[in-house]
Amino acid sequence: MYADFHLHSSFSSDSDTPMEQMILEGIRQGLPAMCFTEHMDFDFPPGDLDFLVDMPAYQNTFDALRQKYENQISLYFGIELGLQPHLTGKLPEFSSQYPFDFVIGSIHVVDGCDPYERVFFENRSEEASYRRYFTCVLENLRKYSCFDVCGHLDYVVRYGPNRNTYYTYEKYRDIIDEILRVLIQKNIGLECNTGGFKYGLGHPNPTEQILTRYHEMGGEIVTLGSDAHAPQHLAYDFNRAAMLLKECGFQYYTIFKNRKPKFLPL
């Protein structure tokens, strides 16, 4: 069994599952470790969800549950930080303000819009939309170093008009290679997010071609995350993902404690 290092509970605006319920499912599955990475997206577009964590409540509940279940599972304290280029003063300060074990840097908002919303794809082609997303990813990665891995690198394809039907690494190779180059230079890892399997894409986020390319370029830090918001998606298709990572050339995956990586065999 593998550690799940990307999951949410009711402390994230898009989940209604109590944290303890997620932990009990992890114990039931026999997971050695879980890391909660609740959403913190400053300046998220106005709507029904704000994606701002009540940090005192989150930390207090986590600490109590970590102590309660310390003999049954290892629990790690994390955050999924929403990157936007104009938040340069806020994000590094926030990430150093709390005793996080692990920080995911994710891009959920491009030009003031979440690709989850159809408006992101209006008045431009799907390819242009995807390229704009990757351009924004690169801009954020060049600007920030306050996180440990880049989350679901090709998140945008989950919501495109044709999703990943016409999407390939080769089509965006120029900019994706530059993204990977920046990650490696900064010693920031890449997440293998099995949400892509859950969404029916047939591939993780990012795709195995991107994971392979990251490895070819010298990238070594890769985490496994289900992006679960409900117990039934915890550690989703992890055995499949682990086999895929081996095929991509990896012998190890990574967990983090106190923001420091530890490599475990696949």
Side-chain angles (χ1 to χ4, degrees), residues 121 126-134 156-157 160 163 172:
F121 298 94
E126 183 177 75
E127 182 175 345
S129 300
Y130 288 2
R131 186 164 288 276
R132 176 60 192 140
Y133 179 84
F134 287 127
V156 67
V157 306
R163 303 211 293 170
Y172 305 93

Side-chain angles (χ1 to χ4, degrees), residues 8-12 14-23 36 38 228-232:
H8 301 273
S9 73
S10 56
F11 286 102
S12 291
D14 54 354
S15 172
D16 58 6
T17 304
M19 182 179 285
E20 188 164 20
Q21 191 175 337
M22 296 291 282
I23 293 169
F36 286 91
E38 308 294 359
H229 291 66
Q232 63 267 31

Side-chain angles (χ1 to χ4, degrees), residues 61-181:
T61 300
F62 175 85
D63 287 343
L65 291 173
R66 175 162 58 182
Q67 183 174 1
K68 180 177 180 178
Y69 293 105
E70 62 183 348
N71 294 324
Q72 298 178 68
I73 192 168
S74 296
L75 298 176
Y76 294 89
F77 185 55
I79 202 79
E80 183 178 10
L81 199 58
L83 307 181
Q84 294 191 62
H86 66 282
L87 297 174
T88 49
K90 184 167 285 189
L91 298 186
E93 179 183 357
F94 174 81
S95 64
S96 63
Q97 190 176 353
Y98 296 92
F100 294 122
D101 289 301
F102 180 55
V103 178
I104 300 174
S106 295
I107 291 81
H108 299 123
V109 178
V110 176
D111 301 328
C113 184
D114 187 340
Y116 178 83
E117 303 293 340
R118 304 307 304 170
V119 67
F120 178 76
F121 298 94
E122 290 179 359
N123 302 316
R124 59 182 165 192
S125 69
E126 183 177 75
E127 182 175 345
S129 300
Y130 288 2
R131 186 164 288 276
R132 176 60 192 140
Y133 179 84
F134 287 127
T135 299
C136 188
V137 171
L138 181 58
E139 182 181 1
N140 278 290
L141 297 186
R142 284 175 170 161
K143 189 160 287 194
Y144 298 109
S145 302
C146 57
F147 57 99
D148 303 309
V149 305
C150 178
H152 46 54
L153 174 60
D154 52 10
Y155 163 85
V156 67
V157 306
R158 293 180 182 177
Y159 309 112
N162 299 289
R163 303 211 293 170
N164 63 339
T165 302
Y166 306 111
Y167 164 71
T168 64
Y169 155 69
E170 289 294 338
K171 185 178 289 187
Y172 305 93
R173 178 175 185 144
D174 56 333
I175 192 164
I176 290 176
D177 277 3
E178 187 58 28
I179 288 170
L180 299 178
R181 192 171 293 110

Side-chain angles (χ1 to χ4, degrees), residues 202-214:
H203 305 276
N205 298 114
T207 64
E208 48 269 51
Q209 290 84 3
I210 295 174
L211 290 163
T212 298
R213 182 61 177 148
Y214 173 68

Side-chain angles (χ1 to χ4, degrees), residues 187-198:
N187 201 35
I188 294 172
L190 189 62
E191 177 190 43
C192 177
N193 185 304
T194 61
F197 294 136
K198 180 184 73 177

